[in-house]
Amino acid sequence: MYGKLKIIKYDMKIGIMGGTFDPIHIGHLVAAEEARAVFGLDKVIFVPNYQPPHKPDVKVSHPEHRYAMVLLSIYTNPHFEVSRVEIERGGPSYAIDTVKEFKKLYPEAEIYFITGADAIAEILSWKQGEEILKLCKFIAVTRPGYDIEKVKEKLSGVANDVQFLKITEINISSTEIRRRVREGKPIKYLVLETVENYIYKHNLYSGG
Ligand code: ATP
Ligand code: MG
């Protein structure tokens, strides 16, 4: 008689912000907060990876240090959370597994994966890159040094559902923070004070 019409009603919009966060800095926080505000997300969950799959040879800080620094950065924002799913899973942290896990945890929610322009440009090289694009929505935020138009061109036809968001651009990376600590330069205001103190207390990045 009538065709089946499936109406999906979402009860919540959840942003997932994956990363190595070695360490988490204000660029990550501004990106998450702007995406949350513009897309009306109920919350953003930061997901520190256990092992970055695209950097198998790069030595990263212990996951518990990176997790602690995320926690120290987000606890004052009622819309931010941190998840241990990738840390508990261990092994290379593939976004596809994480998105599937969140879909199981929140079956009624609409999931948005938030990335910077540099990360989205590489999405087709992620494990099951094309599949993950069908599983959830993507928000790609601008990042200094990455031409969003070129990224759009690269993804056109394959990743039409990616929504690009121009944000207040913060020209900082974790690599730069680690370099500054190694060179004895200040990192104040580039990371939250809690994270600055944590880095010095635990002697992270000093190369010693
Ligand atoms: P590293 O230099 O070690 O690669 P990073 O600063 O790029 O560190 P990641 O943990 O690799 O931080 O990034 C996690 C996510 O945050 C990625 O999607 C990345 O594109 C995004 N991101 C990181 N820094 C910024 C920034 N300054 N502005 C916008 N997005 C950012
Ligand atoms: Mg990076």
Side-chain angles (χ1 to χ4, degrees), residues 6-33:
K6 193 175 170 207
I7 298 173
I8 304 173
K9 243 183 117 213
Y10 297 112
D11 67 347
M12 223 198 307
K13 288 179 172 186
I14 296 178
I16 301 177
M17 179 101 188
T20 306
F21 304 120
D22 193 18
I24 185 169
H25 52 69
I26 57 166
H28 297 124
L29 296 166
V30 168
E33 181 61 10

Side-chain angles (χ1 to χ4, degrees), residues 7-204:
I7 298 173
I8 304 173
K9 243 183 117 213
Y10 297 112
D11 67 347
M12 223 198 307
K13 288 179 172 186
I14 296 178
I16 301 177
M17 179 101 188
T20 306
F21 304 120
D22 193 18
I24 185 169
H25 52 69
I26 57 166
H28 297 124
L29 296 166
V30 168
E33 181 61 10
E34 288 206 25
R36 187 194 68 74
V38 171
F39 287 87
L41 308 180
D42 294 281
K43 58 181 169 183
V44 176
I45 306 176
F46 289 77
V47 188
N49 58 36
Y50 179 77
Q51 187 183 313
H54 52 289
K55 302 177 186 165
D57 303 324
V58 177
K59 205 175 169 302
V60 294
S61 302
H62 194 285
E64 295 300 344
H65 279 319
R66 295 185 285 107
Y67 172 82
M69 291 189 282
V70 172
L71 191 57
L72 288 171
S73 298
I74 57 121
Y75 74 96
T76 52
N77 186 332
H79 302 290
F80 283 179
E81 285 178 19
V82 57
S83 163
R84 293 182 60 85
V85 285
E86 294 193 348
I87 296 177
E88 302 297 343
R89 198 164 63 227
S93 305
Y94 296 113
I96 183 97
D97 301 332
T98 302
V99 169
K100 283 182 179 165
E101 223 160 317
F102 277 108
K103 286 187 78 130
K104 254 191 237 154
L105 274 172
Y106 299 99
E108 308 292 324
E110 190 172 29
I111 309 273
Y112 290 73
F113 202 97
I114 306 166
T115 76
D118 58 314
I120 201 72
E122 302 304 322
I123 190 157
L124 296 178
S125 71
W126 293 9
K127 183 184 166 204
Q128 293 174 273
E130 289 194 29
E131 197 186 331
I132 196 175
L133 283 161
K134 292 185 203 126
L135 277 185
C136 67
K137 301 203 164 189
F138 274 81
I139 302 170
V141 303
T142 48
R143 182 170 188 181
Y146 296 90
D147 185 340
I148 205 97
E149 293 309 319
K150 280 205 186 122
V151 178
K152 274 186 194 168
E153 225 170 82
K154 185 174 168 183
L155 296 181
S156 82
V158 244
N160 297 323
D161 284 346
V162 177
Q163 311 199 51
F164 290 89
L165 176 64
K166 209 171 159 357
I167 60 163
T168 310
E169 293 188 18
I170 312 271
N171 192 7
I172 194 69
S173 66
S174 302
T175 304
E176 170 75 5
I177 306 271
R178 294 192 300 271
R179 193 179 60 75
R180 292 181 72 89
V181 174
R182 214 167 41 242
E183 294 176 355
K185 291 184 178 155
I187 54 167
K188 196 174 274 303
Y189 312 125
L190 300 176
V191 297
L192 298 198
E193 200 163 7
T194 45
V195 170
E196 183 193 4
N197 292 336
Y198 188 94
I199 289 172
Y200 295 139
K201 183 172 173 206
H202 294 275
N203 264 315
L204 302 182

